[in-house]
């Protein structure tokens, strides 16, 4: 099993002091997708809804959960380079950021949450509406930021560097294909509505997973603990079992308890059977869990 990547150097950094400011490129991008989503509501049909649901589920499951989150960020499994690139490309099509951008967003938030205290921007302590607005349109400017160093395997790869520089543009070929198949209705539902709902839905799940709720594990000294969201495994690709994930980020399987549906893990297990996934991470052994406290109830 691979050792998890340590990318954030928080020495001298402060996870509390700073301010929330509008991130204009992100705000314009997400506002545009929101506008397209509103327009899509005037072009509703069975085919547009089916396209939206299928494409949204596919890109989030295969690209974000399996490719970007479990493989690229946490390195819970390895795949051949052609497959790894394909998974990360599909993750880029989700429309949040390129590979390095996703790593920086994720690892900075994860570092802040594991500190004894952090700003509300990372703690998700404000109302759902405020938190969602912050994460759709804003960024957090630290007074003393941590340093994030992305491993050369990602940072020096020409393909991933190209995705970092052009990630928004990759909606265009998909939009052309959708227009050819179903006209503007397919473009609005397959691009705008999908990207907006994927982005907003991701942050909504993040919000509820980092507010008090059920979970078996506490991470010692972490100011923000994670919760599981029972019953949502299928529609969140297994990402709703976030208490498990905070405890065992090295595990490719997030739904580790009986009855915890985890479609992302099902995909990885299928790739393993095909010989396309290896070095698959599992929850570390009992004698390496000194950073965890097991609660009396799950």
């Amino acid at each position: 099993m691979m050792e998890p990547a340590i990318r954030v150097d928080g020495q001298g950094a402060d996870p509390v002091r700073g301010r929330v400011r509008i991130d204009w490129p992100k705000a314009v991008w997400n506002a545009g997708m929101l506008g397209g989503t509103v327009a899509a509501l005037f072009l509703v049909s069975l085919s547009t809804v089916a396209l939206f649901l299928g494409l949204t589920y596919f890109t989030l499951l295969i690209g974000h959960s399996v490719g970007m989150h479990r493989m690229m960020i946490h390195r819970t499994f390895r795949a051949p380079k052609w497959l790894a690139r394909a998974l990360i490309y599909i993750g880029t099509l989700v429309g949040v950021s390129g590979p390095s951008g996703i790593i920086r967003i994720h690892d900075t938030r994860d570092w802040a949450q594991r500190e004894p205290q952090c700003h509300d921007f990372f703690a998700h302590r404000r109302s759902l509406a405020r938190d969602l607005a912050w994460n759709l349109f804003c960024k957090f400017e630290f007074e003393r930021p941590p340093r994030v160093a992305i491993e050369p395997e990602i940072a020096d790869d020409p393909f991933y560097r190209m995705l970092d520089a052009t990630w928004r543009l990759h909606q265009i070929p998909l939009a052309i294909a959708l227009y050819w198949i179903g006209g503007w209705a397919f473009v609005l539902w397959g691009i705008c509505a999908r990207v907006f709902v994927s982005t907003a839905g991701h942050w909504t799940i993040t919000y509820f997973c980092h507010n008090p709720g059920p979970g078996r594990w506490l991470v010692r000294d972490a100011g923000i603990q994670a919760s599981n969201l029972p019953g949502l495994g299928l529609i969140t690709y297994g990402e709703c079992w976030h208490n498990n994930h905070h405890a065992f980020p090295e595990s490719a399987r997030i739904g580790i308890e009986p009855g915890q549906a985890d479609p992302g893990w099902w995909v990885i297990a299928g790739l393993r059977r095909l010989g396309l996934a290896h070095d698959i991470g599992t929850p570390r052994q009992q004698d390496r869990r000194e950073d965890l406290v097991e609660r009396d109830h799950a």
Side-chain angles (χ1 to χ4, degrees), residues 11-168:
Q11 185 175 4
D14 188 331
V16 177
R17 296 178 65 85
R19 59 177 177 169
V20 179
R21 297 191 62 182
I22 292 179
D23 183 334
W24 285 108
K26 180 167 75 170
V28 171
W29 174 254
N30 287 328
M33 293 299 151
L34 173 58
T37 302
V38 173
L41 296 176
F42 294 93
L43 297 170
V44 180
S45 68
L46 183 61
S47 59
T48 56
V49 173
L51 168 77
F52 164 74
L53 292 175
L55 198 54
T56 301
Y57 198 90
F58 174 78
T59 53
L60 281 171
L61 170 62
I62 302 299
H64 183 78
S65 181
V66 173
M68 283 188 156
H69 190 208
R70 307 192 201 203
M71 181 189 68
M72 181 183 72
I73 293 174
H74 290 289
R75 304 200 303 180
T76 65
F77 73 96
R78 285 195 177 275
K81 180 174 284 190
W82 67 266
L83 178 57
R85 287 180 168 179
L87 293 174
I88 292 173
Y89 182 79
I90 296 169
T92 300
L93 288 178
V94 170
V96 176
S97 187
S100 295
I102 290 291
I103 290 173
R104 290 181 185 279
I105 292 168
H106 177 280
D107 282 21
T108 301
R109 183 181 70 243
D110 189 66
W111 163 78
Q113 290 174 346
R114 289 175 184 269
E115 292 293 297
Q117 294 182 330
C118 69
H119 192 275
D120 287 352
F121 186 86
F122 304 105
H124 306 290
R125 281 188 285 254
R126 299 295 184 92
S127 68
L128 175 60
R130 170 65 66 86
D131 194 78
L132 186 58
W134 274 357
N135 286 286
L136 286 175
F137 307 121
C138 301
K139 61 183 177 181
F140 186 76
E141 289 190 346
F142 292 94
E143 288 188 9
R144 298 199 303 274
R147 291 170 293 281
V148 181
I150 299 172
E151 61 270 32
E153 181 180 350
I154 300 294
D156 295 342
D157 186 295
F159 180 71
Y160 297 141
R161 294 179 68 174
M162 179 272 294
L163 291 182
D164 283 327
T166 62
W167 63 270
R168 292 183 179 91

